[in-house]
């Protein structure tokens, strides 16, 4: 709470998540979570805006589904460089029938290393929505981004998560 008083965006984000889920000994309080997500977003945490967009998209945390607010919060997150929000904006535009605009979002997200977006760009190329030059430049940027993110520590974490996932599937 001291960090929040000093304007720490990540502390606001974490406390919002604790209130949203009722964890760490805090009661589940959706209104408090929303207030803290808003504050975290205003302080520069794009993940907070993304979570607000998700809440409006799915009607969670006591909120009704609101497509305009979903898009608004995802746009705020995307403008701050939050790649999953950029991908989701592509999904929204694709569902609305604006394929070219959707591809622009997917291209940006794929260039930042998002594999799912790269798959949509590939489909866009196959269907003639994305040009050969756009597809090639997206592929080059994707692989450069993927190469820049490689590290032994990251590989170890991925291996741990895959092992945990495999164990859970065995117990199901």
């Amino acid at each position: 709470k001291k960090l929040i008083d000093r304007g720490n965006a990540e502390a606001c984000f974490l406390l919002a998540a604790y209130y949203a889920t009722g964890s760490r000994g805090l009661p589940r309080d959706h209104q408090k979570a929303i207030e803290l997500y808003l504050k975290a977003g205003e302080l520069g945490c794009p993940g907070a805006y993304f979570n607000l967009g998700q809440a409006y998209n799915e009607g969670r945390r006591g909120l009704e589904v609101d497509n305009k607010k979903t898009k608004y919060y995802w746009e705020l997150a995307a403008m701050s460089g939050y790649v999953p929000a950029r991908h989701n904006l592509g999904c929204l535009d694709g569902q609305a029938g604006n394929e070219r605009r959707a591809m622009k979002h997917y291209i940006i997200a794929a260039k930042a290393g998002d594999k799912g977006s790269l798959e949509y760009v590939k489909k866009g190329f196959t269907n003639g929505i994305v040009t050969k030059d756009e597809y090639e430049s997206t592929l080059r940027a994707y692989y450069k981004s993927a190469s820049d993110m490689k590290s032994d520590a990251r590989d170890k974490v991925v291996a741990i998560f895959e092992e945990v996932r495999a164990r859970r599937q065995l117990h199901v």
Side-chain angles (χ1 to χ4, degrees):
K1 289 188 177 183
K2 288 180 184 177
L3 288 173
I4 291 170
D5 292 339
R6 287 187 248 158
N8 185 299
E10 293 302 318
C12 287
F13 179 79
L14 285 174
L15 190 58
Y18 297 156
Y19 275 114
T21 59
S23 58
R24 305 281 177 151
L26 294 172
R28 181 173 276 184
D29 186 338
H30 296 303
Q31 188 58 41
K32 185 72 172 169
I34 291 165
E35 290 170 17
L36 286 164
Y37 279 133
L38 281 170
K39 184 174 182 176
E42 290 166 1
L43 291 170
C45 178
Y49 284 140
F50 179 79
N51 282 6
L52 283 168
Q54 284 292 103
Y56 279 110
N57 186 53
E58 299 170 4
R60 291 186 296 152
R61 293 181 179 68
L63 300 173
E64 291 186 28
V65 172
D66 186 326
N67 294 332
K68 287 183 181 181
K69 288 184 180 181
T70 296
K71 187 173 183 176
Y72 172 75
Y73 286 115
W74 283 348
E75 285 174 341
L76 289 175
M79 288 186 291
S80 295
Y82 200 76
V83 177
R86 181 64 68 179
H87 175 86
N88 284 7
L89 287 170
C91 293
L92 285 180
D93 280 329
Q95 290 166 357
N98 194 342
E99 293 177 337
R100 185 67 194 145
R101 184 172 169 90
M103 287 301 144
K104 288 182 179 184
H105 288 299
Y106 293 137
I107 288 169
I108 292 168
K111 286 182 175 184
D114 186 75
K115 188 175 183 176
S117 293
L118 182 63
E119 289 300 317
Y120 280 108
V121 173
K122 180 179 177 182
K123 288 178 187 176
F125 173 66
T126 303
N127 294 329
I129 301 165
V130 174
T131 67
K132 181 179 179 182
D133 288 341
E134 288 174 318
Y135 183 54
E136 288 175 349
S137 72
T138 301
L139 278 173
R140 281 191 298 275
Y142 171 82
Y143 286 112
K144 180 176 181 345
S145 178
S147 152
D148 290 348
M149 288 190 283
K150 283 195 181 241
S151 74
D152 290 337
R154 182 181 298 267
D155 293 341
K156 288 177 185 175
V157 169
V158 168
I160 290 168
F161 277 113
E162 288 174 356
E163 183 179 328
V164 167
R165 185 177 302 127
R167 285 184 189 165
R168 285 184 178 161
Q169 289 176 349
L170 291 175
H171 291 96
V172 173

